[in-house]
Amino acid sequence: MTPLIVTAAITGSRTPRDKCPHIPILPEEIADSAAEAVRAGASIVHIHVRDPITALGTQDAGLYRRVLDRLGETGLEPIVCLTTSGIPGRNLSYEARFIPLEFRPELASFDAGSMNLGDGVFLNPPDFLEELARRMKVAGTKPELEIFDFGMIGNCLRLRDKGLLDPPLHFQFVLGAAGGVPATPKALTQLVELIPEGSTWSSIGIGRGHMPILLATLALEGHVRVGLEDNVYYRKGELARSNAQFVERVVRLAEETGRPVATPAQAREVLGLGRADAASREV
Ligand code: ZN
């Protein structure tokens, strides 16, 4: 059985403290929460940074540097996946979205198409995706292909056919976003059937979809993403205390089903990543 890669999505760009008192905001809080999630079993940490004053997402390179340095000091060496969405729906400039690639992360998010997202429009037009794919190639960063709806898989395959995305592709299915594919096991199964053989995939169930998608993913032998970016409730009516709390539940479920949980080194092997020092390397 392929070891289970658990990604912890630490903070995202929007959830305010009054909705979730434990959401990490300061760079030190983000790094410490990521380290705690890795100690609990996560092998990938998905990182956004927040403006310390407004608490909203920002693409400030200095804040990313502080997170990466502090995480580097722990000696844990998780795979770091930095965001290139910035703030979904706010439509930052392309250049702002590319900023995290300066750190040459092993993975970065690649939002594979435009969509209505809640009250806004999340713009990822073809020219942006082509430029993002080129920049990731230059940085040596593997794209984590965020799939919010079926058509986005086709967008990725067209970029692959143009030579801009290199197989094996790694998909992250995001189910249950307002405007995206619904968070049902049936939809997840159909998504998995559409990706090329040899691809790897992981999933996220947003909000109420969290547990159904998590359990379906374990049954289908995919990988999983959990964390406060995607869910602030641990269960109905109970706010989550930490990112690690979500990771601990996945680890328990994996143990019950006999699935080993991947170490960062094993996750690198599964995803074909070869640069263990990338996230902490000076550029
Ligand atoms: Zn994100």
Side-chain angles (χ1 to χ4, degrees):
M1 239 183 208
T2 310
L4 173 68
I5 300 171
V6 182
T7 298
I10 305 301
T11 185
S13 60
R14 285 175 175 273
T15 306
R17 272 257 155 87
D18 55 6
K19 201 172 155 203
C20 174
H22 303 295
I23 193 102
I25 302 287
L26 300 175
E28 292 72 25
E29 293 170 344
I30 292 168
D32 291 352
S33 184
E36 194 190 5
V38 174
R39 290 192 184 98
S43 49
I44 302 177
V45 288
H46 172 62
I47 303 287
H48 292 241
V49 291
R50 304 282 197 113
D51 182 308
I53 307 296
T54 65
L56 284 172
T58 168
Q59 293 290 65
D60 184 294
L63 294 172
Y64 278 109
R65 168 56 71 198
R66 282 164 65 185
V67 172
L68 293 173
D69 283 351
R70 189 166 173 116
L71 193 54
E73 285 164 13
T74 64
L76 290 168
E77 299 188 341
I79 297 166
V80 174
C81 175
L82 299 182
T83 182
T84 64
S85 71
I87 313 177
R90 288 280 179 98
N91 300 318
L92 302 177
S93 72
Y94 291 1
E95 287 302 326
R97 294 180 62 176
F98 298 146
I99 284 170
L101 299 178
E102 292 172 13
F103 297 99
R104 303 184 66 197
E106 287 180 274
L107 280 180
S109 58
F110 186 100
D111 299 285
S114 303
M115 63 184 295
N116 289 352
L117 186 63
D119 298 334
V121 180
F122 186 17
L123 285 175
N124 296 287
D127 66 330
F128 170 72
L129 294 184
E130 293 199 2
E131 184 59 21
L132 180 60
R134 281 191 199 99
R135 300 245 188 162
M136 285 200 188
K137 263 185 195 269
V138 171
T141 296
K142 180 161 181 147
E144 181 182 272
L145 307 169
E146 316 292 329
I147 304 296
F148 290 78
D149 212 340
F150 287 94
M152 294 189 188
I153 295 174
N155 293 343
C156 295
L157 300 186
R158 281 189 287 280
L159 291 167
R160 178 203 60 185
D161 293 344
K162 285 185 170 182
L164 290 167
L165 294 176
D166 296 326
L169 304 179
H170 178 57
F171 294 90
Q172 182 75 267
F173 299 125
V174 186
L175 298 98
V181 68
T184 64
K186 190 172 180 181
L188 177 67
T189 309
Q190 291 169 329
L191 288 165
V192 173
E193 284 171 357
L194 289 171
I195 61 175
E197 207 171 316
S199 305
T200 48
W201 65 275
S202 174
S203 77
I204 307 161
I206 304 284
R208 269 178 302 188
H210 175 54
M211 283 308 287
I213 294 303
L214 172 57
L215 294 170
T217 299
L218 291 173
L220 293 167
E221 296 188 26
H223 304 286
V224 298
R225 172 171 133 174
V226 297
L228 293 170
E229 175 170 346
D230 306 325
N231 302 283
V232 296
Y233 285 96
Y234 184 73
R235 58 171 70 90
K236 192 171 161 56
E238 182 187 327
L239 281 169
R241 295 189 308 274
S242 67
N243 283 295
Q245 187 187 16
F246 285 114
V247 176
E248 287 160 5
R249 174 161 61 189
V250 177
V251 169
R252 284 197 303 274
L253 288 166
E255 278 168 3
E256 288 291 335
T257 56
R259 178 113 178 252
V261 175
T263 63
Q266 289 171 324
R268 285 187 175 92
E269 202 178 317
V270 171
L271 297 175
L273 302 173
R275 301 181 305 121
D277 64 331
S280 57
R281 185 164 58 200
E282 292 295 326
V283 291

